[in-house]
Amino acid sequence: MKIFGYQLPNMSSLILWGLLWEFVGQIELTFFLPPLSAIFATLWEIGGTPAFLKALRETAQAFAIGTTSAIVIGVPVGILMGKNRLIDELLLPWVNIFLSAPLTALVPVLMVLFGFGLKAIVITTALFAVWIIVLNTRAGVMQINRSLIEMARSFGASPFDAFTKIYFWAALPEILGGVRIGFIRGVKGVIIGQLLISIVGFGALFELYASNFLMKHFWAVLLVLFALSFLIAEFLAWLERKVEYYAASRN
Amino acid sequence: MDTTITENAVAVRNVYKNYGDVEALRDLSLDFPKGQLTSLLGPSGCGKTTLLKIIAGLLPADSGEVLVNGKPVTGPGPDRAFVFQDFALMPWASTIRNVAFGLELRGVAKSEREAVAEKYIAAVGLTGFENSYPHELSGGMRQRVGLARALSVNAEVLLMDEPFSAVDEQTRRKFQEDLLGLVQNENKTFLFVTHSIEEAVYVSNQVAILLPRPSRVSEIIRPRGFRNKDVDSIRRDPEYLDLVDKIWASLKSYVE
Ligand SMILES: Nc1ncnc2c1ncn2[C@@H]1O[C@H](COP(=O)(O)OP(=O)(O)O)[C@@H](O)[C@H]1O
Ligand SMILES: [Mg+2]
């Protein structure tokens, strides 16, 4: 953004929105929107409490396990789909359906199948994250330079070598892009899981604060969540930029 | 050089290859004498790459067989190394890792394979670029990396698919001279694909002329007089000039 010829740093529009928020909060337009400063004060208050830390830990744990499984499953499946026509034709319709399906509707089914504990929440998280990782990995593998594969074969690469030493690296820029979007969807998944399946973690806090109309608390937790997912997304975007140099020069 | 009976490093026997309806190779037979450089010369699309990939074991022939040192080819093997037209370097790997990649796949320990790679990086004149990445190198330098990679696995047969076609003319000439040095010093068999008549005559012990699809060998030409001459005088040698003319005369009819 540029104002009077000055290049403002990225995201400086947030300051403007923050000020507007503070203003709307101060004039007490609606109970739903307390002033931003009051929210930060509340955050400062509850940030160190055992209840908050427990919620953070529970959410982080479910998120970490869920997204890690999404990567561990999604990347190899995506590579296989990109490599093999038959597997691709078998799986692609399902991947596309699940990518655009309203997955929240499936959560009750997951509860029936996997109970009301961490397991069901982790699976919800993974379910939200995995499809875009599969699809992006597949796209990365499909644009791979054929002669790299022939090169590896001609120097005696086993299929496993080709998998780990060529396909994975050649598709890495797309894989990271998929992981970044997958993580953002995983945040959605973990919160939905914690709201619908068992009331734990941040989901429990949201539930508690919202039903008691503790809007400052509610917004404080939401801001923490925004900040965390923003940090994760930025970290992955930074990793993506690190491999950009060869994404452009692959073909 | 070829007055004595030479053994064949590679023998192609009655090879056929179709791509669907496209008949690429029909009953092609050709011998590649050990320790020599044989060029496959022919117009674009005549099946040169196809033949080289069949010899490399990357493509199966529909029928017929390829023998390397008398043994039939069933797939890629350590006795052959490929140099690719588009270099086929891993863009995420440094020069030294690219050069050592063949040895890496064979399970050679890192320090050992990097020592070998260093040696061939120096041999192709890339000392100082060990830690550069392909996108930091010029086309000519990239192909030197590809060449060093093929040399470092110490295969008896080097399969080169138009290795110099993507580099500029000056670099290309330098490559051709270097290639002559390699043929003399490395005691390997070179299979060299090109569509340049001058290049084929300049570097080859024998030139196999392939006709347009379906491809078979129409003629084998063996330069004799100038092969042991100084690299600089070859292009002025009367035999060189005659052969270039002769080959052009026989290929001309296929160029519209
Ligand atoms: N994978 C393929 N599928 C179908 N046709 C092919 C394929 N590869 C090569 N061809 C065809 O076979 C013929 C020979 O190709 P190629 O061996 O690449 O020729 P050259 O290397 O002499 O230019 C060409 O007509 C080409 O179009
Ligand atoms: Mg070709």
Side-chain angles (χ1 to χ4, degrees), chain B residues 4-256:
Chain B
T4 55
I5 296 165
T6 41
E7 261 182 279
N8 292 324
V10 178
V12 176
R13 297 272 172 266
N14 311 102
V15 163
Y16 289 74
K17 178 74 189 177
N18 290 6
Y19 294 105
D21 292 337
V22 178
E23 199 177 7
L25 306 178
R26 180 195 286 173
D27 197 16
L28 191 144
S29 297
L30 185 58
D31 290 332
F32 298 87
K34 203 166 242 171
Q36 300 195 5
L37 189 149
T38 302
S39 310
L40 301 170
L41 177 65
S44 272
C46 79
K48 306 180 296 292
T49 300
T50 303
L51 177 58
L52 213 59
K53 283 184 180 166
I54 290 173
I55 295 170
L58 291 169
L59 264 183
D62 293 344
S63 67
E65 65 176 354
V66 175
L67 305 170
V68 174
N69 290 319
K71 285 194 291 288
V73 165
T74 54
D79 47 5
R80 284 150 290 150
F82 210 105
V83 178
F84 292 83
Q85 182 170 9
D86 63 353
F87 322 136
L89 303 181
M90 299 178 290
W92 54 86
S94 60
T95 296
I96 190 153
R97 182 152 181 250
N98 267 301
V99 172
F101 190 63
L103 297 170
E104 181 181 336
L105 289 173
R106 290 184 193 175
V108 178
K110 188 171 161 118
S111 58
E112 200 180 321
R113 67 179 189 247
E114 292 200 335
V116 176
E118 287 280 5
K119 183 180 135 198
Y120 285 101
I121 288 171
V124 300
L126 283 179
T127 306
F129 293 96
E130 288 85 352
N131 296 315
S132 304
Y133 286 80
H135 71 278
E136 299 166 332
L137 305 176
S138 70
M141 291 159 94
R142 287 183 210 175
Q143 193 54 295
R144 289 178 186 275
V145 177
L147 187 60
R149 175 177 61 196
L151 290 172
S152 67
V153 293
N154 200 21
E156 290 160 61
V157 178
L158 281 185
L159 307 165
M160 309 175 91
D161 188 6
E162 302 198 29
F164 310 150
S165 66
V167 302
D168 62 74
E169 180 62 25
Q170 288 86 333
T171 314
R172 192 180 169 107
R173 287 207 175 202
K174 182 77 179 72
F175 265 122
Q176 292 165 356
E177 286 182 13
D178 292 353
L179 184 59
L180 287 177
L182 278 179
V183 177
Q184 289 214 312
N185 303 326
E186 285 282 334
N187 192 31
K188 293 181 192 304
T189 307
F190 292 78
L191 278 59
F192 182 86
V193 167
T194 180
H195 58 236
S196 157
I197 299 173
E198 284 83 359
E199 180 167 271
V201 177
Y202 184 79
V203 298
S204 309
N205 299 105
Q206 80 175 11
V207 181
I209 297 171
L210 304 184
L211 293 185
R213 277 195 346 250
S215 204
R216 59 237 116 80
V217 180
S218 81
E219 205 175 346
I220 293 176
I221 289 170
R222 313 189 115 257
R224 284 162 200 279
F226 58 83
R227 194 70 296 156
N228 297 317
K229 283 196 179 167
D230 177 41
V231 289
D232 293 319
S233 52
I234 294 178
R235 286 197 174 84
R236 277 177 274 119
D237 189 280
E239 189 193 353
Y240 168 85
L241 296 168
D242 282 352
L243 285 179
V244 170
D245 273 354
K246 183 176 162 212
I247 295 173
W248 169 234
S250 62
L251 282 177
K252 192 151 53 177
S253 52
Y254 298 101
V255 182
E256 58 273 279

Side-chain angles (χ1 to χ4, degrees), chain A residues 196-241:
Chain A
L196 295 184
I197 295 170
S198 58
I199 311 297
V200 293
F202 277 0
L205 292 185
F206 283 134
E207 175 79 15
L208 176 73
Y209 297 150
S211 56
N212 292 300
F213 303 106
L214 294 168
M215 281 303 138
K216 280 183 286 199
H217 294 69
F218 179 85
W219 281 110
V221 178
L222 202 56
L223 282 186
V224 170
L225 197 64
F226 282 163
L228 287 179
S229 40
F230 178 77
L231 282 181
I232 293 170
E234 279 302 295
F235 171 70
L236 286 163
W238 172 78
L239 278 185
E240 265 180 82
R241 282 194 295 276

Side-chain angles (χ1 to χ4, degrees), chain A residues 147 150-151 153 165 169 245, chain B residues 53 58 86 92 104 135:
Chain A
S147 71
E150 286 186 335
M151 182 280 289
R153 278 223 299 140
K165 291 180 194 284
W169 292 96
Y245 72 89
Chain B
K53 283 184 180 166
L58 291 169
D86 63 353
W92 54 86
E104 181 181 336
H135 71 278

